[in-house]
Amino acid sequence: MDYQIKTFAELTGVSERTLRYYHERGLLGPTVASNGYRTYSSQDADRLQLILMYRQLQFSLAEIQQLLALPPAERLERLANQREQLVKQQAALTATLAQLDATLQNQTGGIQMTDQTKFKQFKQQAVAENEQRYGQEVTTNYGKQAKQEADQHFLGLSEAQYATMQAAEDRLKTALQTYLDQPQLPSEAAQTAFEAHQTWLQTATPRYSLAMHRGLAAMYVADERFTAYYTKLIGDQRAAEALQTIIEYYAIEA
């Protein structure tokens, strides 16, 4: 079925101005008559629906233009991947809401939470976030079984172990900030930073080794997501590179 621009705008809820802009950008390709009138087909409706879906998924117009240029099978794969990520986010949000409700009950004298329950959701959320951010890389570098073991180990951490990890991260933050004020190896600040990071890993993972420690350090610099994490944690863009330098210095076989 064919539509004039006014009818198409009413059908889709997209303004005529936006439709013209999408045409100018090459996102839509209506038929243009000699008098300049645009005519839109059902195929244009399919394409616009896809554009609106990408916009809802927070893609820029430039990114959408690249996606629309892909073969249909690859576009479908990208959409399926986006759906998978949304399902994970939805599950995490649902779990967080349940934890919040339980916390409200616990704090207002309703249903009391056990000590194990108080921290279970936080650990599950951390595993879910790590899966979303780094799951593929960890699986590729260390194998699916090793990753599953690490996830199960983390979920099984006691309250005391979880507190140990948090305290280790606090020590790492303080020590690395001190080191960056005066980068020097060896130094007390550098050794403290290394030992704090080592404690965190030994507590969080079931198969710690110095070689694994060095491998992770390389990822901190090579992967911008790790770099951004340590930049935010320490408040210094040099943090990830400094931590790698420290680990390379101290994580050596005896």
Side-chain angles (χ1 to χ4, degrees):
M1 186 171 181
D2 292 335
Y3 307 91
Q4 297 301 311
I5 189 169
K6 181 178 180 180
T7 306
F8 196 62
E10 293 172 351
L11 172 71
T12 62
V14 178
S15 69
E16 294 182 34
R17 179 180 179 181
T18 299
L19 290 174
R20 293 189 185 95
Y21 180 65
Y22 285 172
H23 184 197
E24 292 168 4
R25 289 288 302 262
L27 297 171
L28 286 175
T31 301
V32 182
S34 58
N35 58 7
Y37 286 3
R38 295 173 172 84
T39 302
Y40 295 85
S41 66
S42 293
Q43 287 73 25
D44 292 316
D46 284 342
R47 191 172 177 90
L48 180 59
Q49 192 273 335
L50 190 57
I51 292 169
L52 296 179
M53 186 71 257
Y54 283 134
R55 291 292 285 165
Q56 193 166 344
L57 292 170
Q58 306 301 313
F59 286 102
S60 67
L61 289 181
E63 290 171 327
I64 292 173
Q65 198 158 22
Q66 293 174 351
L67 289 166
L68 291 173
L70 294 174
E74 192 169 346
R75 284 206 306 269
L76 284 174
E77 183 180 358
R78 296 287 185 90
L79 282 174
N81 289 338
Q82 286 294 319
R83 186 184 188 283
E84 184 179 346
Q85 295 302 317
L86 286 174
V87 168
K88 290 178 180 178
Q89 292 173 17
Q90 182 184 47
L93 184 58
T94 299
T96 299
L97 182 60
Q99 180 74 2
L100 176 57
D101 289 340
T103 300
L104 287 170
Q105 288 283 342
N106 185 68
Q107 293 293 318
T108 57
I111 300 174
Q112 296 297 299
M113 301 170 71
T114 65
D115 289 340
Q116 290 76 19
T117 304
K118 291 173 185 176
F119 298 95
K120 179 180 179 181
Q121 174 56 29
F122 296 113
K123 291 186 288 186
Q124 289 178 331
Q125 185 175 354
V127 169
E129 289 176 354
N130 285 334
E131 170 64 29
Q132 184 176 353
R133 294 176 182 173
Y134 315 117
Q136 185 58 53
E137 290 86 347
V138 172
T139 300
T140 300
N141 290 331
Y142 300 102
K144 185 175 181 179
Q145 182 177 349
K147 182 183 179 304
Q148 289 175 341
E149 289 179 1
D151 288 345
Q152 290 303 313
H153 175 83
F154 187 82
L155 289 171
L157 291 175
S158 67
E159 181 183 345
Q161 289 173 312
Y162 196 68
T164 295
M165 291 174 59
Q166 290 180 312
E169 185 170 82
D170 288 340
R171 291 198 307 276
L172 170 65
K173 179 178 179 179
T174 300
L176 199 50
Q177 287 172 335
T178 301
Y179 170 83
L180 285 168
D181 287 338
Q182 189 174 354
Q184 183 177 341
L185 288 171
S187 67
E188 181 179 352
Q191 185 166 351
T192 299
F194 171 75
E195 291 174 351
H197 195 261
Q198 185 179 51
T199 297
W200 194 98
L201 285 176
Q202 288 173 331
T203 307
T205 61
R207 295 185 181 183
Y208 172 83
S209 70
L210 293 174
M212 180 265 280
H213 202 161
R214 292 193 300 271
L216 284 175
M219 289 177 63
Y220 294 162
V221 175
D223 192 315
E224 62 183 13
R225 292 167 298 178
F226 284 105
T227 303
Y229 173 80
Y230 281 104
T231 297
K232 182 178 179 180
L233 177 68
I234 308 302
D236 193 311
Q237 293 182 345
R238 301 170 296 164
E241 186 174 355
L243 183 55
Q244 183 196 25
T245 300
I246 290 170
I247 292 170
E248 287 290 342
Y249 183 86
Y250 286 103
I252 54 176
E253 305 294 338

